[in-house]
Amino acid sequence: MVSTRQGIFSTIVGTIISLFNALIQFLTIYWVLEKFGSEFNGYVRLVSSFSALIATADGALGLATTILLVKPIVQNDWITANEIYSTSKKNYRKASYVGLTLVLLTSLAYPLYAGTSNTGLFEADSWKNIGISLGTEGELAGYWVLMGVSLAFGLKNFLAAFWFSVYENIIAADNKNTIRRIVILFTDIFVYGLLFYLLSLDVSPVIPFLSMLLYSPIKGLLIMLYVKRKYLWLKYYKEFNSFRLVTTKKKISFSSIGTSILVNTDVLIASIILGLSVSSTLSLYLVIAVNTRLIMTNFITSFREFFVALVAKRGRIQWESYAKYELYTYLVAGFTFINMSILSPYFVSALYGDLAINNLASTSEADRNVLEFMFFSPYFSILYAGSTALIILCEAQITLIHAKGRYGEVSKWQNYLGVTYIIVGTLATFICRVAGVGGVEWSLVSGIVAMYGFKLIFLVIRYCYLWVYVWKYATYNSTFKHAANNFMILLAPALFMSLFNIFYITKKLNIELTATKSINENAVVAPLIGLFFAIIAISGLVLILFAYLFSPKMMNGIMKNIPIINKIVNKKSEEARRKRFEEYGIDVDEITTDKSNQLSQALINIAEESAAAHLSLDTVEVKVEQKNDKVYVIKGS
């Protein structure tokens, strides 16, 4: 049975695992950057982004399978469930061949571009030494090494799609995501532990990344064994074909293309237009930023199954319920924006500042300006935090639209938006780079600002479109009540804390001097830890105060549902109930579950005594007026 309690528990487990994954990525980038240099790290980040984009179709199939399996599993309709399972398995294998083709083409072509980007693809001398420099020792990662790294990331998704992904969808549909995430946690520990060990050895750069090929078989086998033992009704029928799954998958896949372009092409545009050094610097920042976004998105997506079941039962949700959900999503987005915009520069600089400075020591002034803008300035963090908050808000609307099953109706417009962004954003970044906007030394910074500026604009347009769509088609009795108040709960704290950060925090606690030891040898971690807990506490308090200021009743309802507060309220309610029993001479401790009839009788006696105390039939005269109505008889012919 799907419930908010399961959603909350899934959120907690997902958040813990996301934090662990963030730690793994911190360590991976740190060691890759330290051992192989910034250019190779930028290449690794880019091929992983290519791999994620290629896997978009598999993600759409997985989401469609999960949503369509919820109802038959709840209703014990094993025929329909096996039909969806069999169709999904066949489609996963078809999609895996398409993905494999794209991986092979990417792995053959992109290393040529990356390996010749420093001297020019069309220069004759560039083809003599195709590769990327490793560190500062003059070593070169050749074409075959680059191709091997790209294949390692790409084939990981192929192995998962061909054999195992469908089993993950089954346990997700049965709201057993906790099991899946625990298996992922175990696999992460094993595979990345092996990766870290291989990185410590003096081997070719491609060898450590071959461990990625073990990820899908280990995770997939464990999940498959669990599914085979628990779901005994599961059976593959080659002749089964679910038309509804095929059409739903196409709609979701088509609808997610524009979203993927809009959300996941940052490193791609930066590497192609601005160079691998810039993409490497950006990838360092994105390690913290993207993982923060994934952690906070867990607070939205963990309730997807709950909304699927709710919408399947009622058709839509009431506007008052939606307003509370919107307030909750605004609080999550606002909390993310405030903490990311303030804390990200300090922690990115503390983790990677020294390594990035050392790796960029021999590069151009423009590359060093990009590093300073991203790591030591509050403005880039505000820019990126704004896009992250909008992505979370859009995800909240998409969750309701997917629960409603209206994938295709929003897909075409979002795809137009994504394609328009990739054209406009790439063109604007290219113009800033070529025209030297802001000066040659600052042209790369101008390109970054242009790219994220247009991304913010397009995300705002996307959210407005999704909000209006939910208002029209996913809620009952839709009005504009609470809409302005909820928006102010998001906007007012974000503006207040941004100004507080620019004009006070960064002045009192300089980012460079506080977080970077190569600039300040006396830099210690204690102020960062204090800042971390202080900002989390202040941001939470500010959001709560503004929420009570603009929407006190809804905020009160949300606060009462927080587990700790809910427990206190229930305890007080239980004590009040116990006192009422004691007033009528009832010992609650003696009334156990074995004597439930005594409790029922006691409650009946209380009701009867209360009624008798206020109403005595001996003293009340009841008058009933007699009224004889006329009776008409219709005679037949």
Side-chain angles (χ1 to χ4, degrees):
M1 183 178 182
V2 180
S3 66
T4 53
R5 185 181 296 273
Q6 290 174 321
I8 292 170
F9 184 69
S10 179
T11 299
I12 294 171
V13 175
T15 301
I16 293 171
I17 293 175
S18 295
L19 287 171
F20 185 80
N21 287 336
L23 178 62
I24 287 175
Q25 291 197 41
F26 295 158
L27 295 175
T28 302
I29 289 189
Y30 182 87
W31 281 329
V32 170
L33 188 63
E34 185 178 37
K35 187 167 185 176
F36 301 123
S38 61
E39 286 194 18
F40 189 79
N41 176 64
Y43 177 82
V44 171
R45 294 295 97 197
L46 187 62
V47 295
S48 64
S49 298
F50 276 135
S51 177
L53 285 173
I54 291 171
T56 300
D58 295 343
L61 178 58
L63 182 58
T65 304
T66 300
I67 292 174
L68 294 181
L69 276 174
V70 171
K71 188 174 180 179
I73 288 178
V74 170
Q75 296 178 344
N76 295 333
D77 183 1
W78 309 136
I79 294 176
T80 303
N82 277 317
E83 181 183 44
I84 295 169
Y85 160 71
S86 302
T87 308
S88 179
K89 192 170 185 177
K90 288 186 289 186
N91 279 271
Y92 264 120
R93 294 194 171 182
K94 291 178 182 178
S96 66
Y97 290 122
V98 177
L100 178 62
T101 303
L102 293 174
V103 166
L104 292 175
L105 291 175
T106 303
S107 300
L108 288 171
Y110 184 69
L112 289 175
Y113 173 80
T116 58
S117 59
N118 288 331
T119 54
L121 183 64
F122 300 103
E123 296 291 334
D125 293 338
S126 64
W127 290 84
K128 296 178 181 178
N129 291 311
I130 301 175
I132 293 175
S133 63
L134 299 175
T136 58
E137 299 179 0
E139 296 182 18
L140 198 71
Y143 174 78
W144 299 108
V145 171
L146 300 179
M147 187 177 72
V149 172
S150 180
L151 285 173
F153 280 96
L155 291 177
K156 179 183 73 170
N157 293 327
F158 167 77
L159 296 173
F162 193 85
W163 278 291
F164 306 116
S165 293
V166 67
Y167 300 108
E168 295 186 44
N169 304 147
I170 293 170
I171 61 176
D174 198 24
N175 207 29
K176 296 293 189 299
N177 251 333
T178 304
I179 302 295
R180 170 179 166 270
R181 285 169 171 169
I182 291 173
V183 171
I184 291 174
L185 178 62
F186 169 79
T187 310
D188 284 340
I189 293 172
F190 179 82
V191 172
Y192 282 98
L194 179 60
L195 173 65
F196 296 154
Y197 171 73
L198 293 174
L199 283 172
S200 67
L201 302 178
D202 188 15
V203 293
S204 172
V206 72
I207 299 298
F209 296 100
L210 293 179
S211 60
M212 293 290 102
L213 297 175
L214 297 175
Y215 192 91
S216 294
I218 295 173
K219 181 187 73 171
L221 282 171
L222 291 174
I223 292 177
M224 185 179 69
L225 290 174
Y226 173 82
V227 170
K228 292 288 188 182
R229 287 176 62 87
K230 181 174 176 59
Y231 304 94
L232 300 178
W233 50 265
L234 192 67
K235 189 174 181 181
Y236 174 73
Y237 295 93
K238 187 177 181 180
E239 61 275 11
F240 275 8
N241 190 33
S242 174
F243 178 75
R244 188 182 178 193
L245 175 64
V246 174
T247 54
T248 303
K249 178 256 178 182
K250 287 181 180 178
K251 291 177 181 178
I252 296 177
S253 180
F254 186 66
S255 67
S256 61
I257 293 173
T259 303
S260 296
I261 292 173
L262 189 56
V263 173
N264 298 319
T265 53
D266 302 358
V267 176
L268 180 64
I269 296 175
S271 62
I272 294 175
I273 305 299
L274 304 177
L276 288 176
S277 295
V278 175
S279 68
S280 177
T281 305
L282 179 61
S283 70
L284 297 177
Y285 187 92
L286 295 186
V287 171
I288 289 180
V290 171
N291 280 284
T292 303
R293 187 185 79 203
L294 294 176
I295 291 168
M296 300 310 294
T297 305
N298 274 322
F299 289 90
I300 305 296
T301 57
S302 294
F303 293 93
R304 179 180 286 126
E305 289 80 13
F306 169 75
F307 281 113
V308 169
L310 185 66
V311 172
K313 182 179 179 181
R314 300 181 183 177
R316 297 188 181 193
I317 63 174
Q318 293 292 335
W319 177 256
E320 291 292 328
S321 299
Y322 169 76
K324 293 178 182 177
Y325 171 69
E326 183 181 64
L327 172 58
Y328 167 74
T329 61
Y330 280 179
L331 290 173
V332 172
F335 185 82
T336 305
F337 173 83
I338 293 170
N339 286 278
M340 181 180 288
S341 62
I342 296 175
L343 297 176
S344 292
Y346 290 96
F347 285 91
V348 170
S349 301
L351 287 169
Y352 304 119
D354 294 326
L355 275 175
I357 290 172
N358 292 334
N359 277 282
L360 293 176
S362 58
T363 58
S364 65
E365 182 68 23
D367 288 329
R368 290 193 290 274
N369 287 335
V370 169
L371 173 67
E372 292 179 4
F373 176 68
M374 289 185 184
F375 281 36
F376 308 135
S377 166
Y379 299 105
F380 178 75
S381 63
I382 291 173
L383 202 60
Y384 191 86
S387 67
T388 301
L390 285 166
I391 290 170
I392 291 174
L393 292 176
C394 291
E395 189 64 35
Q397 304 299 329
I398 287 293
T399 296
L400 292 178
I401 293 171
H402 282 178
K404 185 67 178 171
R406 292 178 174 269
Y407 326 99
E409 296 181 19
V410 299
S411 61
K412 184 180 292 186
W413 202 87
Q414 288 192 100
N415 288 341
Y416 288 151
L417 199 66
V419 172
T420 305
Y421 163 72
I422 197 69
I423 295 172
V424 173
T426 303
L427 186 62
T429 308
F430 179 76
I431 291 173
C432 290
R433 171 71 187 275
V434 174
V437 176
V440 177
E441 293 81 7
W442 293 96
S443 60
L444 299 181
V445 173
S446 300
I448 291 289
V449 172
M451 181 176 70
Y452 278 102
F454 279 107
K455 183 174 183 176
L456 269 177
I457 293 170
F458 279 88
L459 283 171
V460 169
I461 296 171
R462 181 187 177 220
Y463 177 72
C464 292
Y465 168 75
L466 294 176
W467 191 93
V468 172
Y469 189 90
V470 169
W471 184 84
K472 291 178 67 176
Y473 299 111
T475 56
Y476 286 122
N477 304 319
S478 301
T479 65
F480 291 103
K481 184 180 179 181
H482 306 300
N485 290 350
N486 285 349
F487 180 70
M488 288 305 299
I489 292 170
L490 171 68
L491 185 63
L495 285 175
F496 173 76
M497 293 301 293
S498 295
L499 294 174
F500 181 67
N501 179 34
I502 294 172
F503 294 107
Y504 183 79
I505 295 177
T506 54
K507 305 295 183 184
K508 293 290 183 180
L509 205 62
N510 185 274
I511 300 173
E512 282 186 84
L513 298 178
T514 304
T516 313
K517 284 193 174 183
S518 61
I519 297 175
N520 180 16
E521 295 180 356
N522 298 320
V524 292
V525 74
L528 296 181
I529 296 175
L531 179 67
F532 174 78
F533 288 107
I535 295 301
I536 286 180
I538 293 171
S539 61
L541 182 62
V542 167
L543 284 166
I544 291 172
L545 289 176
F546 275 99
Y548 271 109
L549 177 65
F550 288 104
S551 192
K553 289 184 178 179
M554 286 201 302
M555 189 59 193
N556 211 31
I558 291 176
M559 293 297 290
K560 285 182 178 179
N561 285 323
I562 295 175
I564 296 175
I565 298 176
N566 189 37
K567 188 175 181 180
I568 295 172
V569 172
N570 289 337
K571 186 177 180 180
K572 289 184 177 180
S573 178
E574 183 66 28
E575 290 175 355
R577 190 181 298 113
R578 186 181 292 269
K579 287 181 180 179
R580 290 197 299 270
F581 284 151
E582 290 174 355
E583 290 177 2
Y584 294 96
I586 301 171
D587 189 355
V588 182
D589 295 331
E590 292 182 358
I591 303 176
T592 61
T593 54
D594 297 331
K595 301 178 182 179
S596 57
N597 58 333
Q598 295 181 15
L599 180 59
S600 301
Q601 186 61 40
L603 293 173
I604 292 170
N605 290 337
I606 291 172
E608 289 177 349
E609 291 176 9
S610 300
H614 295 87
L615 178 65
S616 176
L617 294 178
D618 295 335
T619 60
V620 178
E621 183 180 356
V622 180
K623 294 182 179 180
V624 179
E625 295 182 1
Q626 187 175 359
K627 184 178 181 182
N628 294 326
D629 295 330
K630 293 181 180 181
V631 178
Y632 297 90
V633 178
I634 301 176
K635 295 182 180 180
S637 56

